[in-house]
Amino acid sequence: MSTRHVGRSVPRREDRGPLTGRSRYIADLKIAGMAEVAFVRSTEAHARIVSIDTSDALATDGVMAVVTAQDLAEVNAFPDYIGYIGPVGQRPLASDRVRFVGAPYAVVVALDRYIAEDAAALVAAGTEFESLPTVADLDQALAPGAPKLYDHWDDNCSVDQAVHRPEVDRAFDEADHTFTDTYISQRQSGLPMETRGVVADAADGMLTVWSSTQSPHIVRTTIAQAPAAASGFPRAPS
């Protein structure tokens, strides 16, 4: 095995475009009639949604629509990943409960980004939550009697998959010594040049989607499996 790169600073080839402004970002895409969308996200880790007042946001100049889960009642739930013990039935927006900080529960559609974000803040201010019990780590979540995120589940374990490779199992069986330990890693966070965003354009019977994601094939497949959503939202003036 070559070691010529070990311990050396290797220049990254992918940095030149973003650092020189030559890469294309979601924010660079401008389509005629395009509106901006801002998500209203939960500040609660686990809570029941008591009420959402959208009147102040709807009264704001430049706001075209405010959408909640009730408006998307006809949109089917996202398909569950293979391996889920019980169906989650995750929908585009939280309806009765939020289950993590940042869970989207409303959407504001506006003429520009500034209006959309200001109106989203008004929706957040007009939302009433009823806090529910929370857990802070996996051990607490799996402990007997832990508050469940989904009432129809037996516990909070969503996926239980055992992976066995004969050569790995054999190596452990034949090892002179083995030990088990628990390692706790500090919280990590990716710091992209642009946070996640999506631009969608429906024209001439075609849907084109630009997405800043590391999983383009999952995005493509999920969109292909989803039924057509309501198309009655207004279009921004050209």
Side-chain angles (χ1 to χ4, degrees):
M1 182 180 69
S2 174
T3 59
R4 60 179 178 166
H5 297 305
V6 176
R8 299 189 179 186
S9 177
V10 180
R12 289 158 47 100
R13 295 183 177 182
E14 66 269 28
D15 291 345
R16 181 176 296 276
L19 292 176
T20 58
R22 296 175 181 174
S23 295
R24 186 170 66 163
Y25 295 92
I26 290 294
D28 296 325
L29 298 175
K30 303 299 179 185
I31 299 173
M34 186 170 73
E36 290 279 349
V37 172
F39 288 87
V40 187
R41 299 183 178 275
S42 169
T43 56
E44 297 269 351
H46 190 201
R48 196 175 313 279
I49 300 176
V50 178
S51 63
I52 304 174
D53 185 354
T54 63
S55 58
D56 288 343
L58 287 170
T60 302
D61 289 340
V63 170
M64 304 164 66
V66 179
V67 180
T68 65
Q70 184 177 358
D71 301 305
L72 302 178
E74 300 302 319
V75 178
N76 289 343
F78 296 146
D80 292 323
Y81 286 112
I82 296 173
Y84 271 134
I85 291 176
V88 174
Q90 182 178 0
R91 297 188 175 276
L93 298 173
S95 56
D96 57 338
R97 289 159 67 183
V98 291
R99 293 176 170 87
F100 59 93
V101 173
Y105 63 89
V107 169
V108 175
V109 185
L111 294 178
D112 64 42
R113 168 57 46 185
Y114 302 100
I115 296 175
E117 292 188 0
D118 287 347
L122 293 175
V123 176
T127 302
E128 181 182 355
F129 290 112
E130 176 189 340
S131 297
L132 296 173
T134 61
V135 295
D137 59 35
L138 292 176
D139 290 335
Q140 292 181 20
L142 295 176
K148 292 189 295 184
L149 286 182
Y150 297 95
D151 295 333
H152 59 285
W153 285 18
D154 293 332
D155 52 35
N156 288 316
C157 180
S158 61
V159 178
D160 186 3
Q161 291 181 307
V163 179
H164 294 288
R165 296 291 293 265
E167 60 274 25
V168 176
D169 294 337
R170 186 168 55 252
F172 275 98
D173 291 338
E174 297 175 354
D176 293 332
H177 302 282
T178 63
F179 71 95
T180 300
D181 203 348
T182 300
Y183 299 91
I184 300 176
S185 175
Q186 70 271 26
R187 298 184 68 174
Q188 302 285 334
S189 177
L191 299 172
M193 296 287 287
E194 179 181 56
T195 53
R196 183 167 297 175
V198 175
V199 171
D201 182 36
D204 302 324
M206 295 288 293
L207 174 65
T208 304
V209 176
W210 294 263
S211 177
S212 57
T213 176
Q214 290 181 313
S215 307
H217 300 95
I218 294 178
V219 172
R220 175 206 59 189
T221 302
T222 303
I223 292 174
Q225 292 176 347
S231 58
F233 299 136
R235 194 169 171 84
S238 303

